Amino acid sequence: MQLTKGVEQAICIIVLLSTQDNHNPLASDTISEHLQVSPSYLKKIMRKLVVQNIIRSVPGNNGGFSLAKSPEQITLLEVVESMEGEISIYPDTGLINKVFRDGVHTSKGEAVLHDVFNGANSLLRDYLVKQTAADLLKRTMEQSEIPVLNWNITNPSNQNKKE
């Protein structure tokens, strides 16, 4: 199973917005430029994040996007599911029915497969729900607090260099 690139882009959008002052929203063009991704595809991803109330659209001349809730409240599970839908790693096309040709083992085979893969889905969900955007940022930046950067300037990476 492999997630789409939309999940990676959604995580990066959340990273940008988590470190941006919430009173200073980022335009989608600025985000697109920083991530070097297609503006039209980025807007589709951002729309999904808005619908799921992970980010919000701020109208106006100085508008753009900001987080709809704190990074501590944003789990990787909701990011993944906002992009991919509910986690389900088994496609279940009913092919197992052809193996047993609707014999006595067909329903049992289906039940066993569903049970095994539902268990795997649960393990993945349980793990991802424990991972927050804040936790990932703090671990990445090796800081106890998420720094506030200004992604509206040309080179924000210089703002947070360790001395």
Side-chain angles (χ1 to χ4, degrees):
M1 178 185 108
Q2 186 167 348
L3 302 173
T4 64
K5 65 181 179 179
V7 171
E8 180 182 22
Q9 291 180 4
I11 291 168
C12 291
I13 291 166
I14 292 166
V15 166
L16 286 170
L17 296 178
S18 293
T19 55
Q20 179 72 18
D21 177 358
N22 237 14
H23 300 336
N24 191 8
L26 289 176
S28 62
D29 289 343
T30 302
I31 295 170
S32 174
E33 186 178 304
H34 277 290
L35 298 180
Q36 297 178 349
V37 297
S38 157
S40 60
Y41 185 67
L42 183 90
K43 287 177 184 174
K44 290 177 185 176
I45 291 170
M46 295 184 77
R47 181 72 193 135
K48 289 180 180 182
L49 294 172
V50 167
V51 168
Q52 294 301 315
N53 199 35
I54 296 171
I55 67 173
R56 69 173 166 251
S57 177
V58 180
N61 287 341
N62 295 320
F65 292 88
S66 62
L67 291 181
K69 52 189 167 183
S70 75
E72 290 81 9
Q73 297 174 311
I74 301 171
T75 69
L76 280 186
L77 177 63
E78 61 183 327
V79 175
V80 168
E81 289 189 339
S82 69
M83 295 296 108
E84 306 286 328
E86 186 176 338
I87 290 178
S88 180
I89 63 172
Y90 181 63
D92 192 14
T93 62
L95 195 58
I96 193 69
N97 293 327
K98 294 184 184 340
V99 172
F100 295 113
R101 300 281 183 221
D102 296 321
V104 294
H105 300 292
T106 301
S107 62
K108 182 66 174 178
E110 279 184 316
V112 167
L113 284 173
H114 282 240
D115 186 49
V116 167
F117 285 103
N118 284 338
N121 291 337
S122 292
L123 289 172
L124 184 54
R125 276 191 206 99
D126 291 345
Y127 182 75
L128 292 176
V129 79
K130 293 175 187 170
Q131 311 302 316
T132 69
D135 295 333
L136 296 175
L137 274 163
K138 289 174 186 177
R139 284 175 39 200
T140 300
M141 301 181 99
E142 298 177 333
Q143 296 185 17
S144 60
E145 298 294 322
I146 299 171
V148 176
L149 306 174
N150 186 354
W151 294 102
N152 289 312
I153 65 171
T154 310
N155 190 2
S157 62
N158 291 330
Q159 294 184 57
N160 200 36
K161 286 192 176 181
K162 288 188 174 183
E163 302 295 326

